[in-house]
Amino acid sequence: MTDPGTIDDSGTDSSAAPRRRRRWLRWTALGISVLVLGAAGVGWSLFQKLDGNIRTDEDTADELARFEDERPVPIEGKAQNVLILGSDNRGDGNGKYGRDEGTERADTAILLHIAADRRSATGVSLPRDLMADIPRCTTKDGTRTRKQFAQFNWAYQFGGTACTIRTVEKMTDIRIDHHLVVDFRGFKKLVDAVGGVDVCLSESVHDRDAKLDLPAGRQTLHGEDALGYVRARHGIGDGSDTDRIDRQQQFMGSLVKKVRGNGVLLNPTKVYPVLDAATSALTADSGLDSLKELYELVRAVRDIPEEKVRFLTVPRQSYELDINRDQLVQPEADQLFTRLRHDRPVRVGSGKDRVADTESARDDAKKPGDASDGKRDSGPSYRGTTAARDICAANEAENAAN
């Protein structure tokens, strides 16, 4: 028989209060469960969206597989080489940057080497005007091109990412483990998602072709202006591709500092827009086409000191048959490629004199492949910058020299 409860002197059921507490606890537990499940559902939905943003470049993998015997052997250990390409695709909403002729070129090409010990990362810019041996490649319509010695960024126009990767591997004898391709719109979205990137101009810039109109001095650039800044060749600097690459390197160093410095990677409300912009901006190989794989890549470099995040230009000079084209400077270029191939430290210096960056050189003694006696393996210093450098340092040095 059910206990009806006990009635006290005031006529109140003494068991009512415990029952109310139990009901409240049950409803609270149920509410918490609903919230947890709801949050998990939203989290999974957002994860699926981000994961689905990335476009997988299966055609490149298929094409590279056909030439596996010609490719360099994969590097031993955990070091990684990632080829980052900036496409000048004028379709897909990019028509205002020029007429869409159905072809694309690699407006920017950076070979990113991430050291096996995750203590340094080196981005090597390959000038688009560099003369290079381009292999026979498969075009979009299935025809084959001929081998030729031509301007480097033609490889992307002839045979897309696969042709560019094979050209870089032939030039450097470095195996490309992964690749990422970003177009104009993707670049702008990423810059806007981090709240803009700081740059420094020694003089005002007015470039109609790049749609750029900027004052002199330190300033923060957002999507459209940032794109114009890294693409411009006229009305800014000396108009050379080398000068443009220097600006791109300074911009990337500033971008790294911005992402690491404002808590983006640790703040969910800040990191989601960045991830959304980054993932929707990318076309990647099957090894980097998921949020988890991209996160692993970011995690590999996020703790690298800013002075060890280096950007440099491959040693180059004017091509002897055409001053509007570049050629590699030897043996310096091959020495650089050898150091990257064997995961050895690379130093950068600022300016044309390539003065060694003492911060970059510090603690480079016991890297893989270095001398066992522990002496610093200095090697040559290459023109470039680091993420630790102040964005106005180059301008201030130039003004002091003058």
Side-chain angles (χ1 to χ4, degrees), residues 136-203:
R136 292 187 66 195
C137 296
T138 305
T139 64
K140 289 183 177 180
D141 62 10
T143 60
R144 297 291 303 280
T145 63
R146 60 180 176 84
K147 291 182 181 180
Q148 55 192 299
F149 185 66
Q151 189 173 330
F152 169 66
N153 69 343
W154 286 11
Y156 196 83
Q157 179 181 351
F158 292 156
T161 305
C163 189
T164 304
I165 289 174
R166 292 176 60 213
T167 301
V168 173
E169 290 184 339
K170 183 176 181 64
M171 180 193 308
T172 64
D173 197 28
I174 294 173
R175 173 83 171 210
I176 303 301
D177 301 303
H178 302 291
H179 69 269
L180 297 169
V181 182
V182 60
D183 64 11
F184 294 157
R185 286 194 307 164
F187 175 85
K188 291 190 300 180
K189 286 179 63 177
L190 181 57
V191 171
D192 285 339
V194 300
V197 175
D198 296 338
V199 302
C200 188
L201 293 172
S202 59
E203 57 187 19

Side-chain angles (χ1 to χ4, degrees), residues 301-317:
V301 300
R302 69 180 180 185
D303 294 327
I304 296 175
E306 290 179 355
E307 66 270 15
K308 295 297 184 70
V309 179
R310 303 156 180 153
F311 301 100
L312 61 98
T313 304
V314 64
R316 44 71 55 202
Q317 63 186 11

Side-chain angles (χ1 to χ4, degrees), residues 18-215:
R19 287 202 298 271
R20 284 196 298 270
R21 284 196 296 270
R22 286 196 294 272
R23 286 198 298 269
W24 182 85
L25 289 173
R26 284 198 296 270
W27 280 108
T28 300
L30 179 59
I32 293 174
S33 300
V34 169
L35 289 175
V36 169
L37 291 174
V42 171
W44 178 249
S45 176
L46 294 178
F47 179 88
Q48 290 290 86
K49 179 183 183 301
L50 295 175
D51 214 39
N53 282 344
I54 309 170
R55 292 159 290 184
T56 304
D57 189 359
E58 297 177 350
D59 292 340
T60 294
D62 293 341
E63 181 70 5
L64 291 176
R66 297 177 55 191
F67 299 95
E68 180 61 35
D69 293 343
E70 300 177 8
R71 303 183 65 193
V73 296
I75 192 171
E76 295 183 2
K78 295 182 179 180
Q80 288 189 321
N81 294 299
V82 183
L83 185 63
I84 303 172
L85 299 175
S87 165
D88 69 352
N89 174 24
R90 306 305 168 93
D92 300 326
N94 294 312
K96 66 180 178 180
Y97 303 106
R99 187 174 62 181
D100 181 12
E101 298 178 345
T103 61
E104 301 176 47
R105 293 185 182 179
D107 202 50
T108 300
I110 299 170
L111 174 58
L112 176 64
H113 175 80
I114 304 171
D117 62 8
R118 302 303 189 254
R119 291 175 55 197
S120 67
T122 304
V124 180
S125 295
L126 302 173
R128 62 184 183 183
D129 296 333
L130 185 68
M131 299 301 292
D133 289 309
I134 301 177
R136 292 187 66 195
C137 296
T138 305
T139 64
K140 289 183 177 180
D141 62 10
T143 60
R144 297 291 303 280
T145 63
R146 60 180 176 84
K147 291 182 181 180
Q148 55 192 299
F149 185 66
Q151 189 173 330
F152 169 66
N153 69 343
W154 286 11
Y156 196 83
Q157 179 181 351
F158 292 156
T161 305
C163 189
T164 304
I165 289 174
R166 292 176 60 213
T167 301
V168 173
E169 290 184 339
K170 183 176 181 64
M171 180 193 308
T172 64
D173 197 28
I174 294 173
R175 173 83 171 210
I176 303 301
D177 301 303
H178 302 291
H179 69 269
L180 297 169
V181 182
V182 60
D183 64 11
F184 294 157
R185 286 194 307 164
F187 175 85
K188 291 190 300 180
K189 286 179 63 177
L190 181 57
V191 171
D192 285 339
V194 300
V197 175
D198 296 338
V199 302
C200 188
L201 293 172
S202 59
E203 57 187 19
S204 61
V205 175
H206 309 283
D207 188 335
R208 183 178 301 177
D209 292 337
K211 308 181 188 304
L212 204 60
D213 190 2
L214 301 172

Side-chain angles (χ1 to χ4, degrees), residues 384-395:
T385 188
T386 74
R389 284 213 183 108
D390 183 82
I391 54 174
C392 287
N395 293 338

Side-chain angles (χ1 to χ4, degrees), residues 229-255:
Y229 176 81
V230 299
R231 294 187 64 235
R233 292 183 65 174
H234 306 291
I236 181 171
D238 61 11
S240 68
D241 193 43
T242 299
D243 190 70
R244 184 179 68 95
I245 289 174
D246 287 346
R247 289 198 309 275
Q248 290 177 348
Q249 292 171 354
Q250 293 165 15
F251 186 92
M252 289 184 292
S254 187
L255 174 61

